[in-house]
Amino acid sequence: MQNYDSIIVGGGIAGLQAAIQLGRYSSHRVLVIDAGEGRSTLCRTYHNILGYPDGVSGEELRAKGRMQAERTGVEFQKGRVIEAKRKGERIQLTSDNGMTVETRTVLLATGLSDRIPDIQGLNPTLGKTVYVCPDCDGYEIQDRKTVLLGSGEAGANMALILIERTNDLLYVNHEHKQISAELHRRMKEEGIRYLEATVQEVQQSEDGYITGILTDDGQMFESERGFIAFGGNRVHYELAEQLGAEIADNRHVKADPRTMIAAPNVWIAGDLGLHAEQATVAMGEGAIAAIWIHKELQRIAKESKVSQF
């Protein structure tokens, strides 16, 4: 069984930033275990990241981040960690490919998975002209004809946020879920058009820009930009729970906001935690967690030297 000083579970934006930070200390054996999935694999273009005024895809960020981390000696293994348990002062992780490893410290950057219905043409537009986060990409719909695909009250609440950016907003309740009379009233007052219909296709231009939607009853609605809000996103909290972290009611993991520590020798970063779900925030949390992991590894090494005398 291989032993590490620190293992990062999740090779997305948060995990890679942490890997780069830890690798640059040049004194720890670090492993990243990555299933190769997550929000960043779906986003065609991040528009709000420093240094990329024309946008950058999640895949490009991941590829460059891995290369940067590997240059410092960080190791990578493909796999999905399915079990985490404590063995004395160490932590043992088991992956779905049968790999078992042990470590002194763990950073969990397992994130969440958006619930995205299987709608023809939707995935190729995600992060390019169809978005999920109003804080990240509300700017992109400013004064543009926008369609919001959603479900029930999750979509209605998103519509009330987006109407601050554009006065040409159509909310399509794709799953025909119930919406309270109060939310209906508020949407009407704000001038949000509402349609309860199943979306058959997100139409797009040759370069992947949304041009409109087609509903199952044959109606077509033109659009320049889009948002989705279906609710029911799945937070991957299970490993944190197995290692004794406190789980909030919404299944996100609680952590010290200064150090990102969630349980003894367990840190978190990114969308797994209770914070704004933005790539830039995930980067910061990954770096912060890595700094405090380094401090803890230094403390452990110092105590080990003292005990030898």
Side-chain angles (χ1 to χ4, degrees):
M1 182 184 301
Q2 296 196 61
N3 291 277
Y4 292 86
D5 295 310
S6 190
I7 293 179
I8 299 168
V9 183
I13 307 303
L16 287 170
Q17 187 66 66
I20 291 166
Q21 182 69 34
L22 276 173
R24 287 172 62 85
Y25 288 117
S26 305
S27 55
H28 312 307
R29 190 181 183 198
V30 181
L31 172 68
V32 177
I33 304 176
D34 180 32
E37 301 174 2
R39 271 183 163 179
S40 56
T41 64
L42 295 175
C43 185
R44 302 301 187 276
T45 314
Y46 288 103
H47 297 272
N48 66 330
I49 293 179
L50 177 68
Y52 292 96
D54 297 320
V56 59
S57 72
E59 290 287 13
E60 181 180 350
L61 274 180
R62 288 171 70 104
K64 288 183 175 179
R66 175 166 177 163
M67 176 184 67
Q68 201 169 343
E70 286 179 328
R71 286 181 178 178
T72 67
V74 174
E75 301 173 39
F76 283 77
Q77 288 284 346
K78 185 170 174 93
R80 185 185 307 279
V81 178
I82 56 175
E83 184 182 37
K85 61 183 179 182
R86 297 184 183 274
K87 292 188 65 179
E89 295 182 353
R90 301 187 72 85
I91 294 171
Q92 186 178 96
L93 304 175
T94 302
S95 300
D96 57 359
N97 57 13
M99 179 180 69
T100 299
V101 289
E102 287 190 3
T103 181
R104 294 181 180 275
T105 60
V106 168
L107 170 61
L108 299 176
T110 47
L112 60 79
S113 297
D114 293 284
R115 188 171 73 85
I116 305 174
D118 185 15
I119 300 174
Q120 182 180 345
L122 175 56
N123 278 0
T125 66
L126 291 176
K128 193 164 190 177
T129 51
V130 176
Y131 312 103
V132 301
C133 172
D135 293 313
C136 306
D137 292 310
Y139 176 85
E140 303 299 326
I141 71 166
Q142 188 73 40
D143 300 325
R144 291 181 179 270
K145 184 186 289 290
T146 302
V147 61
L148 166 64
L149 309 182
S151 178
E153 297 196 348
N157 285 314
M158 177 67 82
L160 290 167
I161 295 172
L162 297 180
I163 197 62
E164 297 176 3
R165 290 288 194 169
T166 177
N167 60 6
D168 193 344
L169 177 63
L170 169 66
Y171 167 34
V172 182
N173 187 351
H174 172 72
E175 295 180 328
H176 305 260
K177 293 292 180 65
Q178 186 174 353
I179 299 175
S180 70
E182 173 63 15
L183 281 174
H184 271 297
R185 182 189 64 78
R186 291 177 60 195
M187 285 195 295
K188 186 175 181 179
E189 286 182 352
E190 295 290 345
I192 299 167
R193 291 177 291 137
Y194 175 74
L195 177 67
E196 195 168 295
T198 302
V199 179
Q200 179 177 312
E201 179 185 1
V202 172
Q203 299 178 330
Q204 56 187 295
S205 61
E206 291 183 1
D207 54 1
Y209 280 58
I210 184 174
T211 58
I213 62 166
L214 174 67
T215 59
D216 61 353
D217 59 0
Q219 295 187 81
M220 295 182 62
F221 298 90
E222 293 183 356
S223 181
E224 298 174 280
R225 295 292 186 268
F227 256 84
I228 61 172
F230 293 99
N233 295 341
R234 181 177 172 236
V235 184
H236 302 288
Y237 68 91
E238 293 84 359
L239 298 177
E241 187 174 55
Q242 291 171 21
L243 292 173
E246 184 178 357
I247 311 300
D249 291 341
N250 63 1
R251 314 319 288 169
H252 287 270
V253 180
K254 296 183 178 181
D256 184 325
R258 179 168 178 258
T259 64
M260 301 312 299
I261 193 166
N265 291 342
V266 178
W267 285 258
I268 67 165
D271 292 342
L272 179 64
L274 285 162
H275 75 117
E277 296 168 5
Q278 293 183 291
T280 49
V281 173
M283 288 179 184
E285 289 184 346
I288 290 169
I291 289 168
W292 285 94
I293 289 171
H294 170 65
K295 292 179 185 294
E296 177 61 15
L297 290 172
Q298 283 184 312
R299 186 194 66 78
I300 292 171
K302 185 176 180 180
E303 288 188 355
S304 178
K305 285 182 181 180
V306 171
S307 65
Q308 292 175 6
F309 293 96

